[in-house]
Amino acid sequence: MVLERKLQKSPPPPMYQVVMLNDDYTPMEFVVDVLQSFFNKDEHTANMIMQKVHMEGRGVCGVYTRDIAHTKVALVMDAAAQAGHPLQCVAEPAQE
């Protein structure tokens, strides 16, 4: 007798959103450049996100699995530090 194994579907991994936080010192051009470089946003979308960060205090750059989100945060924080900007970026569980 041969028993068939049922394939079990594992749930999708939890998603995390990368959120950029506003500060009064980081130039808007730098924020746009970061959004284009690390999040592959086109110029229009990067400007829209930058304006949201500027006006509302925070803006979502993208939604990724946990490891990718934390890697993107680290890349942004390193780039900001190297450029001498206090830009802050965090990863938090995505709202469903």
Side-chain angles (χ1 to χ4, degrees):
M1 175 188 287
V2 176
L3 296 176
E4 288 187 37
R5 184 184 297 180
K6 285 188 175 182
L7 293 177
Q8 292 182 351
K9 273 192 166 180
S10 57
M15 301 301 282
Y16 286 75
Q17 57 189 15
V18 176
V19 180
M20 196 171 290
L21 305 175
N22 188 43
D23 64 70
D24 293 331
Y25 303 101
T26 304
M28 293 179 182
E29 297 81 15
F30 181 79
V31 173
V32 170
D33 185 51
V34 164
L35 289 164
Q36 290 178 305
S37 299
F38 298 113
F39 299 96
N40 298 319
K41 302 297 182 188
D42 60 62
E43 187 173 357
H44 176 73
T45 303
N47 275 296
M48 296 293 289
I49 295 170
M50 178 273 296
Q51 285 296 327
K52 185 172 178 71
V53 171
H54 181 68
M55 301 300 286
E56 298 177 19
R58 57 190 279 131
V60 176
C61 304
V63 178
Y64 309 94
T65 57
R66 187 190 69 178
D67 290 344
I68 293 173
H70 286 288
T71 298
K72 293 211 179 257
V73 167
L75 290 170
V76 169
M77 297 297 287
D78 286 347
Q82 286 181 5
H85 300 305
L87 182 65
Q88 294 292 305
C89 190
V90 297
E92 56 189 34
Q95 301 167 0
E96 304 197 15

XYZ file of all heavy atoms in Angstrom:
750
model
N 0.847 -1.171 0.000
C 0.000 0.000 0.000
C 0.895 1.237 0.000
O 1.860 1.342 0.743
C -0.885 -0.009 1.259
C -1.689 1.245 1.365
S -2.568 1.422 2.907
C -3.862 0.258 2.731
N 0.553 2.175 -0.849
C 1.301 3.425 -0.951
C 0.431 4.552 -0.413
O -0.704 4.721 -0.840
C 1.687 3.716 -2.420
C 2.363 5.051 -2.521
C 2.557 2.603 -2.960
N 0.987 5.271 0.527
C 0.262 6.421 1.074
C 0.711 7.675 0.350
O 1.899 7.869 0.091
C 0.535 6.574 2.568
C 0.062 5.429 3.458
C 0.500 5.695 4.898
C -1.434 5.287 3.387
N -0.240 8.487 0.018
C 0.100 9.749 -0.635
C 0.307 10.822 0.424
O -0.428 10.899 1.390
C -1.019 10.168 -1.592
C -1.089 9.318 -2.827
C -2.082 9.862 -3.834
O -2.169 11.098 -3.956
O -2.744 9.044 -4.465
N 1.316 11.593 0.209
C 1.599 12.683 1.129
C 0.855 13.929 0.643
O 0.959 14.305 -0.512
C 3.091 12.977 1.159
C 3.448 14.023 2.164
C 4.897 14.372 2.135
N 5.716 13.212 2.492
C 7.027 13.229 2.548
N 7.680 14.327 2.243
N 7.710 12.158 2.875
N 0.126 14.517 1.530
C -0.563 15.762 1.180
C 0.418 16.918 1.304
O 1.153 17.015 2.281
C -1.750 16.017 2.106
C -2.933 15.158 1.826
C -4.112 15.627 2.661
C -5.340 14.829 2.288
N -6.520 15.286 3.031
N 0.433 17.734 0.292
C 1.278 18.917 0.356
C 0.622 19.936 1.267
O -0.540 20.281 1.104
C 1.475 19.508 -1.033
C 2.267 18.647 -2.007
C 2.317 19.327 -3.374
C 3.670 18.431 -1.494
N 1.389 20.384 2.216
C 0.866 21.394 3.118
C 1.359 22.753 2.645
O 2.543 22.925 2.367
C 1.342 21.147 4.543
C 0.757 19.906 5.155
C 1.236 19.755 6.594
O 2.104 20.478 7.053
N 0.660 18.805 7.294
N 0.430 23.656 2.549
C 0.805 25.013 2.168
C 1.220 25.765 3.419
O 0.481 25.818 4.391
C -0.376 25.742 1.529
C -0.514 25.543 0.070
C -1.511 26.542 -0.480
C -1.410 26.586 -1.979
N -2.358 27.549 -2.533
N 2.406 26.298 3.371
C 2.829 27.115 4.501
C 2.288 28.526 4.278
O 2.149 28.986 3.146
C 4.349 27.124 4.630
O 4.927 27.590 3.450
N 1.986 29.207 5.357
C 1.460 30.564 5.201
C 2.528 31.484 4.622
O 3.723 31.240 4.802
C 1.094 30.981 6.632
C 1.936 30.116 7.500
C 2.146 28.825 6.755
N 2.120 32.522 3.930
C 3.116 33.456 3.392
C 3.874 34.128 4.537
O 3.332 34.269 5.636
C 2.281 34.475 2.612
C 0.911 34.358 3.159
C 0.760 32.955 3.655
N 5.109 34.525 4.292
C 5.881 35.159 5.370
C 5.260 36.505 5.744
O 4.647 37.167 4.910
C 7.264 35.364 4.749
C 7.027 35.391 3.283
C 5.856 34.491 3.033
N 5.412 36.893 7.000
C 4.897 38.203 7.393
C 5.639 39.302 6.637
O 6.836 39.200 6.392
C 5.153 38.275 8.898
C 6.197 37.248 9.169
C 6.086 36.208 8.101
N 4.914 40.326 6.288
C 5.494 41.426 5.523
C 5.766 42.613 6.445
O 5.066 42.828 7.429
C 4.557 41.825 4.382
C 4.256 40.682 3.421
S 5.711 39.990 2.627
C 5.998 41.226 1.384
N 6.803 43.364 6.061
C 7.204 44.542 6.821
C 7.259 45.737 5.880
O 7.689 45.606 4.743
C 8.582 44.332 7.456
C 8.543 43.403 8.639
C 8.404 42.035 8.468
C 8.615 43.903 9.931
C 8.347 41.181 9.559
C 8.567 43.058 11.022
C 8.424 41.697 10.828
O 8.357 40.872 11.915
N 6.813 46.878 6.388
C 6.916 48.091 5.584
C 8.124 48.895 6.060
O 8.396 48.975 7.248
C 5.636 48.911 5.642
C 5.180 49.332 7.019
C 3.803 49.949 7.005
O 3.066 49.838 6.035
N 3.443 50.613 8.078
N 8.832 49.430 5.083
C 9.960 50.298 5.381
C 9.409 51.720 5.390
O 8.821 52.178 4.403
C 11.083 50.143 4.338
C 12.206 51.119 4.624
C 11.601 48.707 4.334
N 9.576 52.392 6.516
C 9.008 53.723 6.716
C 10.130 54.735 6.928
O 11.006 54.535 7.763
C 8.059 53.733 7.933
C 7.471 55.120 8.151
C 6.962 52.696 7.776
N 10.088 55.807 6.144
C 11.049 56.894 6.304
C 10.406 57.955 7.194
O 9.231 58.285 7.029
C 11.393 57.475 4.935
C 12.632 58.321 4.936
S 13.145 58.762 3.262
C 13.698 57.177 2.655
N 11.202 58.475 8.133
C 10.696 59.464 9.084
C 11.247 60.845 8.758
O 12.388 60.991 8.323
C 11.098 59.059 10.502
C 10.682 57.647 10.925
C 11.246 57.319 12.299
C 9.178 57.487 10.900
N 10.427 61.851 8.985
C 10.819 63.228 8.679
C 11.794 63.776 9.715
O 11.760 63.413 10.884
C 9.570 64.118 8.642
C 9.886 65.511 8.151
O 10.620 65.686 7.200
N 9.321 66.512 8.801
N 12.678 64.605 9.249
C 13.513 65.415 10.133
C 13.658 66.780 9.456
O 13.291 66.944 8.307
C 14.880 64.763 10.397
C 15.727 64.645 9.147
O 16.187 65.693 8.647
O 15.931 63.520 8.666
N 14.156 67.741 10.184
C 14.236 69.100 9.644
C 15.577 69.416 8.990
O 15.831 70.572 8.656
C 13.972 70.120 10.761
C 12.543 70.053 11.267
O 11.656 69.677 10.475
O 12.326 70.361 12.448
N 16.425 68.398 8.799
C 17.773 68.666 8.325
C 18.145 67.972 7.020
O 18.937 68.501 6.258
C 18.786 68.279 9.412
C 18.523 69.001 10.704
C 17.873 68.368 11.750
C 18.876 70.335 10.872
C 17.598 69.036 12.940
C 18.602 71.010 12.042
C 17.961 70.357 13.074
O 17.677 71.024 14.233
N 17.607 66.790 6.773
C 17.972 66.047 5.565
C 17.358 66.723 4.340
O 16.157 66.964 4.304
C 17.480 64.586 5.652
O 18.024 63.997 6.836
C 17.901 63.790 4.441
N 18.174 67.034 3.339
C 17.639 67.685 2.130
C 16.651 66.790 1.388
O 16.815 65.568 1.329
C 18.889 67.921 1.265
C 20.050 67.808 2.189
C 19.631 66.878 3.284
N 15.618 67.415 0.851
C 14.597 66.680 0.107
C 15.208 65.939 -1.080
O 14.779 64.838 -1.417
C 13.498 67.627 -0.357
C 12.682 68.208 0.760
S 11.433 69.339 0.117
C 10.689 69.888 1.626
N 16.208 66.547 -1.705
C 16.861 65.911 -2.859
C 17.529 64.604 -2.463
O 17.525 63.640 -3.215
C 17.890 66.855 -3.494
C 17.306 68.121 -4.075
C 17.034 69.199 -3.017
O 17.543 69.101 -1.871
O 16.285 70.142 -3.340
N 18.102 64.580 -1.255
C 18.743 63.356 -0.778
C 17.693 62.263 -0.567
O 17.915 61.100 -0.918
C 19.517 63.613 0.521
C 20.217 62.392 1.045
C 21.417 61.971 0.491
C 19.668 61.646 2.079
C 22.055 60.832 0.957
C 20.297 60.511 2.558
C 21.498 60.101 1.992
N 16.561 62.628 -0.002
C 15.480 61.660 0.223
C 15.006 61.076 -1.110
O 14.837 59.862 -1.248
C 14.307 62.306 0.996
C 13.116 61.360 1.082
C 14.764 62.734 2.387
N 14.819 61.933 -2.102
C 14.397 61.467 -3.428
C 15.443 60.524 -4.010
O 15.107 59.462 -4.555
C 14.121 62.659 -4.378
C 13.926 62.186 -5.810
C 12.904 63.439 -3.898
N 16.710 60.885 -3.870
C 17.787 60.040 -4.384
C 17.789 58.669 -3.702
O 17.958 57.640 -4.351
C 19.136 60.735 -4.193
C 20.269 59.949 -4.816
O 20.148 59.574 -6.001
O 21.269 59.699 -4.121
N 17.592 58.646 -2.388
C 17.541 57.391 -1.643
C 16.368 56.537 -2.131
O 16.511 55.323 -2.339
C 17.426 57.658 -0.117
C 16.975 56.420 0.644
C 18.749 58.161 0.425
N 15.226 57.153 -2.322
C 14.047 56.405 -2.787
C 14.279 55.812 -4.176
O 13.848 54.694 -4.459
C 12.812 57.314 -2.784
C 12.296 57.679 -1.388
C 11.342 58.864 -1.460
C 11.618 56.481 -0.748
N 14.962 56.540 -5.026
C 15.252 56.037 -6.367
C 16.333 54.958 -6.324
O 16.222 53.941 -7.013
C 15.692 57.182 -7.286
C 14.564 58.129 -7.622
C 15.009 59.278 -8.487
O 15.942 60.001 -8.150
N 14.352 59.444 -9.618
N 17.347 55.155 -5.506
C 18.480 54.228 -5.468
C 18.168 52.914 -4.764
O 18.506 51.845 -5.266
C 19.666 54.879 -4.756
O 20.077 56.031 -5.433
N 17.528 52.981 -3.607
C 17.339 51.785 -2.792
C 15.959 51.149 -2.923
O 15.777 49.987 -2.549
C 17.613 52.097 -1.318
C 19.023 52.531 -1.068
C 19.303 53.813 -0.658
C 20.076 51.654 -1.265
C 20.603 54.226 -0.434
C 21.386 52.054 -1.046
C 21.648 53.338 -0.627
N 14.997 51.900 -3.436
C 13.636 51.369 -3.540
C 13.128 51.337 -4.977
O 11.956 51.042 -5.218
C 12.689 52.181 -2.640
C 13.077 52.109 -1.191
C 13.850 53.101 -0.611
C 12.715 51.025 -0.415
C 14.239 53.034 0.720
C 13.090 50.939 0.922
C 13.845 51.938 1.483
N 14.007 51.670 -5.921
C 13.686 51.615 -7.357
C 12.432 52.408 -7.719
O 11.635 51.981 -8.557
C 13.540 50.162 -7.823
C 14.818 49.387 -7.650
O 15.902 49.907 -7.919
N 14.707 48.163 -7.177
N 12.261 53.564 -7.098
C 11.113 54.421 -7.406
C 11.480 55.354 -8.560
O 12.614 55.817 -8.649
C 10.713 55.265 -6.184
C 10.369 54.453 -4.951
C 9.179 53.563 -5.161
C 8.832 52.810 -3.883
N 7.802 51.806 -4.084
N 10.496 55.611 -9.429
C 10.743 56.599 -10.472
C 10.704 57.988 -9.836
O 10.317 58.141 -8.673
C 9.715 56.467 -11.609
C 8.285 56.661 -11.120
O 7.968 57.766 -10.625
O 7.476 55.720 -11.238
N 11.121 58.986 -10.580
C 11.247 60.329 -10.004
C 9.919 60.856 -9.462
O 9.872 61.440 -8.376
C 11.814 61.297 -11.046
C 12.122 62.657 -10.464
C 12.833 63.584 -11.430
O 13.157 63.159 -12.552
O 13.049 64.743 -11.051
N 8.840 60.657 -10.187
C 7.531 61.144 -9.740
C 7.117 60.467 -8.432
O 6.718 61.149 -7.474
C 6.480 60.902 -10.825
C 5.096 61.281 -10.392
N 4.698 62.588 -10.258
C 4.027 60.526 -10.031
C 3.439 62.620 -9.840
N 3.015 61.381 -9.695
N 7.222 59.144 -8.372
C 6.828 58.404 -7.169
C 7.724 58.785 -5.992
O 7.236 58.978 -4.873
C 6.890 56.887 -7.425
O 6.055 56.575 -8.544
C 6.426 56.100 -6.214
N 9.022 58.913 -6.242
C 9.947 59.301 -5.178
C 9.587 60.677 -4.628
O 9.618 60.895 -3.410
C 11.382 59.289 -5.705
N 9.222 61.613 -5.494
C 8.813 62.943 -5.044
C 7.520 62.887 -4.242
O 7.373 63.613 -3.252
C 8.682 63.899 -6.233
C 10.004 64.517 -6.599
O 10.585 65.252 -5.819
N 10.489 64.200 -7.790
N 6.592 62.039 -4.648
C 5.326 61.903 -3.915
C 5.574 61.363 -2.502
O 5.005 61.862 -1.530
C 4.362 60.983 -4.670
C 3.928 61.516 -6.030
S 2.915 62.993 -5.932
C 1.412 62.313 -5.295
N 6.422 60.346 -2.396
C 6.734 59.778 -1.078
C 7.478 60.803 -0.228
O 7.185 60.972 0.956
C 7.547 58.473 -1.220
C 6.700 57.400 -1.907
C 8.032 57.979 0.147
C 7.469 56.159 -2.324
N 8.429 61.518 -0.842
C 9.178 62.536 -0.109
C 8.232 63.612 0.435
O 8.358 64.042 1.587
C 10.236 63.170 -1.025
C 11.055 64.282 -0.386
S 10.323 65.920 -0.517
C 10.328 66.174 -2.271
N 7.276 64.027 -0.367
C 6.304 65.032 0.089
C 5.451 64.499 1.243
O 5.146 65.225 2.189
C 5.402 65.474 -1.069
C 6.085 66.394 -2.043
C 6.483 67.723 -1.417
O 5.831 68.254 -0.526
N 7.603 68.266 -1.886
N 5.073 63.228 1.159
C 4.293 62.610 2.246
C 5.117 62.598 3.537
O 4.603 62.923 4.606
C 3.873 61.201 1.849
C 2.958 60.533 2.853
C 2.429 59.230 2.296
C 1.555 58.513 3.286
N 0.270 59.130 3.517
N 6.388 62.235 3.434
C 7.272 62.237 4.604
C 7.367 63.653 5.163
O 7.232 63.866 6.372
C 8.676 61.705 4.234
C 9.659 61.914 5.382
C 8.621 60.233 3.843
N 7.543 64.611 4.279
C 7.695 66.009 4.698
C 6.426 66.549 5.351
O 6.486 67.218 6.392
C 8.076 66.863 3.488
C 8.285 68.300 3.801
N 9.337 68.750 4.575
C 7.579 69.404 3.441
C 9.247 70.070 4.683
N 8.206 70.488 4.006
N 5.282 66.257 4.768
C 4.020 66.829 5.249
C 3.404 66.051 6.422
O 2.822 66.644 7.323
C 2.997 66.906 4.111
C 3.464 67.741 2.934
S 3.828 69.454 3.358
C 2.198 70.093 3.554
N 3.525 64.718 6.395
C 2.853 63.894 7.402
C 3.805 63.306 8.440
O 3.364 62.650 9.380
C 2.071 62.775 6.714
C 0.965 63.311 5.802
C 0.225 62.212 5.067
O 0.284 61.039 5.499
O -0.421 62.531 4.052
N 5.098 63.504 8.242
C 6.055 63.025 9.224
C 6.598 61.632 8.958
O 7.564 61.208 9.583
N 5.972 60.906 8.041
C 6.419 59.560 7.713
C 5.824 59.124 6.393
O 4.768 59.608 5.994
C 6.054 58.562 8.817
C 4.575 58.522 9.128
C 4.234 57.717 10.368
N 4.211 56.305 10.052
C 4.823 55.366 10.755
N 5.501 55.681 11.836
N 4.762 54.113 10.409
N 6.520 58.217 5.724
C 6.028 57.712 4.451
C 6.568 56.313 4.204
O 7.705 56.003 4.539
N 5.719 55.469 3.631
C 6.098 54.087 3.349
C 6.879 54.041 2.036
O 6.406 54.501 0.998
C 4.850 53.177 3.277
C 5.244 51.761 2.885
C 4.109 53.185 4.607
N 8.074 53.465 2.111
C 8.945 53.341 0.934
C 8.673 52.057 0.170
O 8.905 51.982 -1.031
C 10.407 53.345 1.366
S 10.864 54.785 2.327
N 8.224 51.024 0.870
C 7.950 49.745 0.237
C 7.598 48.704 1.284
O 7.784 48.920 2.477
N 7.076 47.566 0.815
C 6.690 46.462 1.695
C 7.450 45.220 1.238
O 7.408 44.866 0.057
C 5.166 46.228 1.651
C 4.768 45.056 2.532
C 4.416 47.488 2.079
N 8.122 44.570 2.190
C 9.013 43.458 1.882
C 8.936 42.402 2.979
O 8.380 42.649 4.048
C 10.471 43.959 1.802
C 10.653 45.139 0.897
C 10.623 46.440 1.398
C 10.837 44.974 -0.464
C 10.783 47.530 0.567
C 10.994 46.067 -1.307
C 10.969 47.331 -0.789
O 11.119 48.410 -1.620
N 9.565 41.260 2.733
C 9.725 40.285 3.801
C 10.666 40.894 4.845
O 11.377 41.863 4.576
C 10.315 38.960 3.276
O 11.556 39.224 2.647
C 9.354 38.283 2.305
N 10.681 40.305 6.030
C 11.422 40.890 7.152
C 12.895 41.137 6.839
O 13.416 42.227 7.068
C 11.301 39.994 8.381
C 11.904 40.634 9.625
C 11.994 39.667 10.751
N 13.018 38.688 10.343
C 13.426 37.682 11.081
N 12.902 37.481 12.250
N 14.363 36.864 10.655
N 13.581 40.139 6.322
C 15.022 40.282 6.084
C 15.327 41.356 5.048
O 16.266 42.135 5.220
C 15.627 38.949 5.644
C 15.658 37.924 6.777
O 15.497 38.327 7.949
O 15.851 36.727 6.480
N 14.549 41.393 3.986
C 14.767 42.408 2.953
C 14.482 43.797 3.514
O 15.235 44.744 3.276
C 13.926 42.112 1.697
C 14.441 40.828 1.039
C 13.963 43.282 0.727
C 13.602 40.325 -0.108
N 13.405 43.928 4.288
C 13.062 45.228 4.878
C 14.190 45.721 5.780
O 14.608 46.883 5.691
C 11.756 45.123 5.658
N 14.714 44.839 6.628
C 15.788 45.260 7.539
C 17.076 45.578 6.780
O 17.826 46.478 7.170
C 16.023 44.198 8.613
C 14.935 44.176 9.646
N 14.769 45.163 10.596
C 13.920 43.299 9.864
C 13.723 44.898 11.349
N 13.188 43.764 10.928
N 17.325 44.868 5.695
C 18.496 45.167 4.868
C 18.355 46.542 4.233
O 19.303 47.333 4.214
C 18.683 44.094 3.776
O 18.908 42.838 4.418
C 19.843 44.426 2.858
N 17.171 46.858 3.716
C 16.948 48.168 3.100
C 17.108 49.285 4.131
O 17.698 50.333 3.841
C 15.583 48.214 2.427
C 15.527 47.280 1.214
C 14.609 47.796 0.173
C 14.590 46.870 -1.026
N 15.379 47.396 -2.128
N 16.600 49.068 5.340
C 16.759 50.065 6.402
C 18.245 50.303 6.670
O 18.695 51.451 6.764
C 16.032 49.626 7.697
C 16.458 50.480 8.887
C 14.522 49.691 7.510
N 19.010 49.224 6.764
C 20.443 49.354 7.031
C 21.147 50.108 5.902
O 22.006 50.965 6.157
C 21.071 47.972 7.222
N 20.791 49.826 4.656
C 21.394 50.519 3.521
C 21.100 52.016 3.556
O 21.984 52.847 3.325
C 20.890 49.919 2.201
C 21.380 48.513 1.870
C 20.608 47.947 0.680
C 22.868 48.518 1.591
N 19.850 52.356 3.857
C 19.455 53.769 3.921
C 20.176 54.473 5.059
O 20.717 55.573 4.882
C 17.919 53.907 4.075
C 17.523 55.342 4.406
C 17.212 53.430 2.822
N 20.222 53.832 6.218
C 20.870 54.450 7.377
C 22.368 54.646 7.125
O 22.930 55.674 7.507
C 20.637 53.597 8.625
C 19.170 53.466 9.017
S 18.411 55.019 9.470
C 19.190 55.271 11.044
N 23.003 53.674 6.477
C 24.427 53.808 6.151
C 24.665 54.954 5.175
O 25.591 55.749 5.351
C 24.975 52.507 5.552
C 25.154 51.411 6.597
O 25.099 51.726 7.805
O 25.336 50.246 6.194
N 23.826 55.037 4.135
C 23.977 56.111 3.146
C 23.773 57.481 3.799
O 24.514 58.427 3.513
C 22.988 55.914 1.999
N 22.780 57.575 4.677
C 22.515 58.852 5.363
C 23.693 59.232 6.259
O 24.122 60.391 6.271
C 21.223 58.755 6.169
N 24.219 58.268 6.990
C 25.346 58.547 7.882
C 26.572 58.990 7.076
O 27.256 59.946 7.454
C 25.673 57.316 8.715
N 26.832 58.309 5.964
C 27.988 58.670 5.137
C 27.835 60.066 4.546
O 28.825 60.769 4.346
C 28.180 57.645 4.020
C 28.746 56.334 4.522
C 28.959 55.335 3.405
O 28.767 55.629 2.230
N 29.358 54.127 3.772
N 26.588 60.463 4.279
C 26.343 61.790 3.718
C 26.217 62.852 4.813
O 26.060 64.035 4.516
C 25.073 61.767 2.865
N 26.234 62.421 6.081
C 26.138 63.363 7.191
C 24.734 63.852 7.464
O 24.552 64.938 8.019
N 23.727 63.043 7.105
C 22.328 63.424 7.328
C 21.723 62.573 8.444
O 22.039 61.392 8.564
C 21.507 63.243 6.050
C 21.999 64.058 4.904
N 22.162 65.423 4.972
C 22.378 63.706 3.654
C 22.619 65.878 3.818
N 22.754 64.843 2.998
N 20.815 63.160 9.229
C 20.199 62.420 10.331
C 18.950 61.625 9.918
O 18.131 61.262 10.762
C 19.826 63.531 11.321
C 19.502 64.692 10.440
C 20.483 64.595 9.283
N 18.802 61.332 8.653
C 17.624 60.623 8.141
C 17.395 59.328 8.905
O 18.334 58.580 9.163
C 17.814 60.315 6.657
C 16.649 59.614 5.950
C 15.437 60.515 5.917
C 17.073 59.239 4.544
N 16.153 59.075 9.282
C 15.788 57.864 9.997
C 14.828 57.035 9.151
O 13.945 57.579 8.482
C 15.114 58.191 11.335
C 16.042 58.861 12.324
C 17.130 57.916 12.790
O 16.876 56.827 13.283
N 18.375 58.351 12.605
N 15.021 55.729 9.217
C 14.209 54.804 8.459
C 14.000 53.580 9.343
O 14.940 53.136 10.019
C 14.982 54.436 7.171
S 14.053 53.533 5.963
N 12.784 53.047 9.384
C 12.487 51.896 10.238
C 11.687 50.858 9.457
O 11.047 51.180 8.461
C 11.693 52.314 11.511
C 12.515 53.249 12.382
C 10.365 52.955 11.132
N 11.741 49.631 9.946
C 10.909 48.556 9.407
C 9.893 48.198 10.488
O 10.249 48.054 11.649
C 11.752 47.345 9.036
N 8.649 48.081 10.081
C 7.605 47.723 11.033
C 6.633 46.774 10.348
O 6.520 46.787 9.109
C 6.894 48.967 11.559
C 6.303 49.842 10.497
C 5.803 51.173 11.032
O 6.392 51.734 11.979
O 4.805 51.673 10.481
N 5.943 45.941 11.130
C 4.998 45.009 10.501
C 3.993 45.771 9.611
O 3.485 46.814 10.003
C 4.303 44.356 11.686
C 5.298 44.471 12.815
C 5.999 45.782 12.570
N 3.776 45.223 8.433
C 2.856 45.870 7.494
C 1.434 45.731 8.005
O 1.057 44.711 8.572
C 2.993 45.235 6.108
N 0.672 46.764 7.771
C -0.742 46.744 8.142
C -1.510 46.032 7.053
O -1.339 46.328 5.882
C -1.251 48.165 8.340
C -0.495 48.899 9.411
C -0.787 50.386 9.394
O -1.551 50.884 8.588
N -0.171 51.108 10.312
N -2.317 45.099 7.457
C -3.035 44.297 6.458
C -4.394 44.812 6.157
O -5.016 45.531 6.777
C -3.108 42.862 6.932
C -1.712 42.345 7.208
C -1.657 40.855 7.284
O -2.607 40.198 6.865
O -0.645 40.361 7.745
